[in-house]
Amino acid sequence: MYASKDSYVSRFDEELISAAGEVFTMLADVTRIKIILALSARDELSVGALAEIVERRPPAVSQHLAKMRMLKMVVRRQEGTSVYYQLADEHALALVREALNQAEHTLVEAGQTPTHHTSKN
């Protein structure tokens, strides 16, 4: 069996593990993944700009952002009637990048090496 020195695993902090499950649930939506990737490429974006980038209607993007704010993945700044969003920290992006790396394994042909193993990122 896999033995971990990770303190999270050894103590099974139920509240923390439950919260981690909520994070994965939040990231199980393609639109939210696109929002995180879009925000990682810019300092901040308005709802309208994000909607255009992720090809969704602004009200739908607003709803996604509200949920992401509840889990502290994004933060907002209001300027007049405009609202701008940015990633709260690097953690959501790191999870998305790892998920994309894992997903790449499912898409490559048997015997091929995923590009993230060969490229220098």
Side-chain angles (χ1 to χ4, degrees), residues 28-41:
D29 184 281
V30 173
T31 299
R32 292 184 196 131
I33 292 171
K34 289 178 180 180
I35 288 170
I36 289 169
L37 292 171
L39 289 173
S40 73

Side-chain angles (χ1 to χ4, degrees), residues 36-67:
I36 289 169
L37 292 171
L39 289 173
S40 73
R42 304 275 197 308
D43 287 335
E44 63 180 12
L45 289 167
S46 68
V47 174
L50 274 168
E52 199 171 306
I53 292 167
V54 303
E55 299 177 328
R56 298 292 187 266
R57 293 172 38 104
V61 170
S62 265
Q63 288 178 353
H64 285 294
L65 289 164
K67 291 175 182 177

Side-chain angles (χ1 to χ4, degrees), residues 83-98:
V83 180
Y84 298 91
Y85 285 87
Q86 63 184 38
L87 292 175
D89 54 44
E90 73 284 357
H91 300 300
L93 178 60
L95 286 170
V96 167
R97 284 183 175 151
E98 285 303 313

